[in-house]
Amino acid sequence: MSIHIVALGNEGDAFHQDHRPSGLIRTYLGRSPLVSGDESSLLLNAASAVARPVFTEYQASAFGNVKLVVHDCPVWDIFDSDWYTSRNLIGGADIIVIKYNVNDKFSFHEVKDNYIPVIKRALNSVPVIIAAVGTRQNEELPCTCPLCTSDRGSCVSTTEGIQLAKELGATYLELHSLDDFYIGKYFGGVLEYFMIQALNQKTSEKMKKRKMTNSFHGIRPPQLEQPEKMPVLKAEASHYNSDLNNLLFCCQCVDVVFYHPDVKDIVEAHKIVLCAVSHVFMLLFNVKSPTDIQDASIIKTTQDLFAINRDAVFPGASQESSSNPPLRVIVKDALFCSCLSDILRFIYSGAFQWEELEEDVRRKLKDSGDVSNVIEKVQCILKTPGKINCLRNCKTYQARKPLWFYNTSLKFFLNKPMLADVVFEIQGTTVPAHRAILVARCEVMAAMFNGNYMEAKSVLIPVYGVSKETFLSFLEYLYTDSCCPAGIFQAMCLLICAEMYQVSRLQHICELFIITQLQSMPSRELASMNLDIVDLLKKAKFHHSDCLSTWLLHFIATNYLIFSQKPEFQDLSVEERSFVEKHRWPSNMYLKQLAEYRKYIHSRKCRCLVM
């Protein structure tokens, strides 16, 4: 590999030609540590023309093994006498150096007006260096006399040099002398930078030519395109908080009422929700005994605030035909009872917004002492056994368990007879549950328990078409807003149960679980697994799981080579088979190209260009 440099112009002083030192190019080649070659080998050709060489050719080695060819043309007559040679020199150059003496203004303007336009037309994205050599005469004299002014007029100013560099898109250098600093570090540094750039460009072009040559000598392996992007399944936002909060306002499945003899209004509530929040209500409704709680302050709060009314007649309530009337609880504190509706709204919201509760209580109770007394009682009701009761602890507990914590506390009552008011019969076994939670979380069950159906008046309700394990997972979601199926088959069974009871968010959770499980399987496991993916697709379609069925079709198409070898692949419908063939990966075109390439490789008995 070689680098061709063309140097144009005379950097010597026109008035002192006999005493000028060696030229810029020869000085650089003789001093640069990156250029190797002795004095006799540098000068190969010097053609004389009227005591001036037309051009001098130097050859040396740079960077160890790179051939460096330099044509130094000190006179511009070559552009007039031999235009063909000069054009070839400029056209074949990797770097062009234009040099002039700063004290020869006449020659500078002659070159600028006559020869620079010619060079500009011949340039083809070649880096150009403009070197202004010498120290300007009287440059440092502040005198303004006519003699000094005339001296300055004979020098080429820096502004003129920079303007010339802008016209050519060149790099402008001022070399006040040809010493080691200006030649080796300044001029040499810039020149060597452009030499490295030229080497990089030639190497890149050589690699491109080699690739093009290889492409002509053999068939390139086919490019495997990326498979189509799988459909994105968006999860449905949880409405667990609002479901339980709405339970308070709909007044369905009420099993406890609070009242005070001196307060006109009564307050309805649900034992299961209150017990999920407070140990005071667990003690009041006999879910736990004083021995289980072992906290004297909770026991005292229960005894001081509430008492169960066992009388048959309920003050202020109409006679109901229900065989199981709600439990009647007397609130001993009239002020607390007057604010109980706000307190229950605060509890059912699950957010524990203490500031809002204080504002609601303050609207009803003008006295600040009464407000503090009611808030203190609420803190006592929500107290955790064994911990100090204060508002700060309550707020800390709220920050640690934000928004809603029934999803963990309600799990305590899952599949347990405590406070249960309905029993499901499944596969010969029974599963106790709580109507309030079922009504709040499932619209189908809300209609079933509150409509003119047999289930509305029956305690024992049979369930068909669902296994006990699947139904328990379904109840777990209703109670806790989460579920964790054991596998893809269990998730599909749970999805069918969710579709039966119209719980759309649980359907989406099951869809996401199935998709995540299938995506995480390596190809070897997909090929060996016993799960019938086509049967899974048909079940998803039958139970209106459109997102899952669309995703499964793309999944079969993306893993075409695996699933097309399985016998259940033949069970796809004509429409499904057409979709899979259209979106299959890898495509038929790629497989044909791959077969042709393999045939070519074996016929030529040559190596693969890639491997």
Side-chain angles (χ1 to χ4, degrees):
M1 193 174 294
S2 63
I3 298 176
H4 184 199
I5 301 175
V6 174
L8 302 171
N10 185 3
E11 67 275 27
D13 191 341
F15 301 104
H16 305 87
Q17 289 289 334
D18 297 336
H19 303 286
R20 65 183 181 91
S22 298
L24 172 64
I25 298 300
R26 189 180 183 89
T27 305
Y28 167 75
L29 294 175
R31 294 184 182 181
S32 175
L34 298 178
V35 179
S36 59
D38 54 23
E39 187 74 17
S40 59
S41 64
L42 286 177
L43 185 61
L44 293 182
N45 183 16
S48 299
V50 196
R52 286 189 181 182
V54 175
F55 66 84
T56 305
E57 180 179 317
Y58 302 94
Q59 289 191 9
S61 295
F63 306 110
N65 59 350
V66 177
K67 184 180 179 181
L68 184 63
V69 179
V70 183
H71 287 89
D72 189 4
C73 305
V75 295
W76 294 90
D77 299 343
I78 188 173
F79 287 95
D80 298 325
S81 60
D82 193 352
W83 165 243
Y84 180 79
T85 302
S86 60
R87 186 181 62 180
N88 287 343
L89 281 176
I90 296 176
D94 297 312
I95 303 169
I96 294 177
V97 179
I98 297 176
K99 43 196 174 63
Y100 63 88
N101 193 288
V102 295
N103 294 309
D104 191 355
K105 192 167 185 176
F106 176 78
S107 299
F108 173 81
H109 281 288
E110 183 183 7
V111 170
K112 181 180 178 182
D113 296 336
N114 299 330
Y115 300 110
I116 292 300
V118 177
I119 296 175
K120 193 174 180 180
R121 288 195 298 270
L123 285 178
N124 185 20
S125 302
V126 177
V128 179
I129 300 174
I130 293 181
V133 182
T135 303
R136 294 178 182 85
Q137 297 176 3
N138 300 326
E139 183 180 25
E140 298 180 358
L141 293 176
C143 181
T144 57
C145 66
L147 180 61
C148 294
T149 303
S150 62
D151 286 342
R152 287 202 191 98
S154 64
C155 299
V156 181
S157 66
T158 303
T159 305
E160 291 175 304
I162 293 175
Q163 185 62 35
L164 176 62
K166 286 182 179 179
E167 291 181 14
L168 294 174
T171 301
Y172 176 75
L173 303 177
E174 283 199 357
L175 310 176
H176 297 304
S177 64
L178 301 183
D179 57 13
D180 289 337
F181 172 77
Y182 285 104
I183 295 296
K185 294 183 180 179
Y186 194 23
F187 174 76
V190 175
L191 183 63
E192 288 156 13
Y193 168 78
F194 286 126
M195 289 166 63
I196 294 173
Q197 293 291 89
L199 285 175
N200 291 338
Q201 184 176 357
K202 289 189 175 185
T203 303
S204 176
E205 291 175 355
K206 187 176 181 181
M207 292 297 295
K208 288 180 181 178
K209 288 181 180 179
R210 184 178 298 175
K211 288 182 179 180
M212 291 294 293
T213 304
N214 289 338
S215 65
F216 288 123
H217 290 295
I219 301 176
R220 297 292 299 173
Q223 296 295 321
L224 180 61
E225 70 279 5
Q226 292 295 321
E228 290 187 11
K229 290 185 178 181
M230 304 294 284
V232 178
L233 184 62
K234 295 182 179 180
E236 184 180 335
S238 173
H239 39 79
Y240 186 74
N241 297 1
S242 58
D243 287 344
L244 292 181
N245 194 25
N246 292 336
L247 183 63
L248 180 65
F249 299 99
C250 69
C251 298
Q252 295 178 343
C253 303
V254 171
D255 54 5
V256 60
V257 293
F258 296 90
Y259 72 98
H260 186 277
D262 298 334
V263 179
K264 186 172 86 171
D265 297 331
I266 62 171
V267 181
E268 299 175 324
H270 307 83
K271 296 178 187 177
I272 180 69
V273 177
L274 298 178
C275 289
V277 175
S278 169
H279 286 80
V280 169
F281 292 114
M282 282 188 176
L283 189 60
L284 178 65
F285 301 135
N286 296 322
V287 175
K288 287 187 177 182
S289 65
T291 307
D292 297 329
I293 294 178
Q294 294 183 351
D295 191 313
S297 63
I298 292 179
I299 298 172
K300 186 177 185 304
T301 300
T302 307
Q303 294 172 349
D304 293 346
L305 268 182
F306 305 108
I308 296 177
N309 184 0
R310 305 292 182 181
D311 297 337
V313 180
F314 175 47
S318 60
Q319 296 295 327
E320 298 182 2
S321 60
S322 175
S323 58
N324 189 18
L327 181 67
R328 300 178 292 277
V329 177
I330 302 172
V331 181
K332 297 180 180 180
D333 189 332
L335 293 177
F336 185 85
C337 186
S338 64
C339 301
L340 189 56
S341 59
D342 297 316
I343 295 170
L344 290 182
R345 186 165 59 250
F346 162 75
I347 291 174
Y348 272 70
S349 68
F352 273 27
Q353 300 294 334
W354 288 96
E355 292 79 7
E356 293 183 10
L357 175 63
E358 289 180 12
E359 291 179 5
D360 293 338
V361 173
R362 194 172 287 110
R363 286 194 207 99
K364 292 187 176 181
L365 307 178
K366 304 303 181 182
D367 186 82
S368 59
D370 294 337
V371 174
S372 300
N373 186 31
V374 170
I375 295 298
E376 184 179 351
K377 285 182 171 59
V378 176
Q379 296 171 28
C380 293
I381 290 175
L382 300 177
K383 180 180 183 296
T384 303
K387 292 191 176 181
I388 300 174
N389 182 29
C390 67
L391 184 59
R392 181 180 178 183
N393 286 343
C394 290
K395 290 182 177 180
T396 304
Y397 184 68
Q398 169 202 355
R400 193 166 58 249
K401 287 194 167 185
L403 292 182
W404 199 264
F405 54 87
Y406 293 145
N407 53 355
T408 55
S409 54
L410 278 177
K411 194 173 184 179
F412 176 75
F413 298 94
L414 178 62
N415 195 23
K416 293 188 181 168
M418 295 175 297
L419 303 177
D421 52 4
V422 63
V423 177
F424 293 98
E425 187 179 19
I426 310 170
Q427 296 180 334
T429 60
T430 57
V431 177
H434 307 81
R435 291 175 186 261
I437 302 302
L438 303 179
V439 167
R441 299 280 289 137
C442 177
E443 293 182 0
V444 171
M445 288 194 174
M448 182 175 68
F449 288 131
N450 294 286
N452 296 321
Y453 301 100
M454 177 187 67
E455 292 84 357
K457 299 179 181 180
S458 177
V459 176
L460 187 63
I461 300 175
V463 177
Y464 303 104
V466 180
S467 67
K468 180 183 177 181
E469 290 75 16
T470 301
F471 194 74
L472 280 175
S473 297
F474 174 71
L475 290 181
E476 181 184 1
Y477 169 78
L478 297 184
Y479 277 68
T480 66
D481 201 43
S482 63
C483 66
C484 186
I488 294 177
F489 178 76
Q490 176 66 22
M492 195 68 210
C493 294
L494 187 55
L495 185 147
I496 295 172
C497 183
E499 191 266 340
M500 182 190 306
Y501 288 100
Q502 297 296 300
V503 183
S504 60
R505 183 170 182 271
L506 179 57
Q507 280 185 275
H508 289 149
I509 291 176
C510 295
E511 289 173 344
L512 281 172
F513 180 87
I514 293 172
I515 289 173
T516 304
Q517 291 293 309
L518 290 174
Q519 279 183 327
S520 63
M521 287 185 181
S523 299
R524 184 175 298 178
E525 188 176 350
L526 283 175
S528 61
M529 72 175 182
N530 296 323
L531 181 66
D532 189 341
I533 199 75
V534 178
D535 180 62
L536 205 65
L537 169 64
K538 293 187 178 299
K539 285 181 178 178
K541 281 192 171 183
F542 183 79
H543 293 282
H544 307 98
S545 182
D546 297 333
C547 294
L548 180 61
S549 60
T550 303
W551 188 91
L552 287 173
L553 273 176
H554 278 87
F555 186 69
I556 294 172
T558 304
N559 297 275
Y560 183 87
L561 296 180
I562 295 175
F563 292 117
S564 61
Q565 304 301 319
K566 295 194 173 189
E568 60 265 19
F569 186 79
Q570 306 302 322
D571 297 335
L572 289 171
S573 65
V574 176
E575 182 183 355
E576 292 166 348
R577 179 74 70 87
S578 175
F579 179 90
V580 170
E581 293 291 345
K582 181 180 178 181
H583 298 85
R584 60 175 289 180
W585 185 84
S587 64
N588 267 326
M589 180 65 68
Y590 171 79
L591 294 178
K592 288 179 182 178
Q593 293 174 352
L594 183 63
E596 292 177 0
Y597 179 73
R598 286 175 174 172
K599 184 179 179 181
Y600 168 79
I601 292 297
H602 289 303
S603 65
R604 297 291 298 271
K605 295 182 180 180
C606 57
R607 293 180 59 193
C608 174
L609 294 177
V610 176
M611 303 300 292

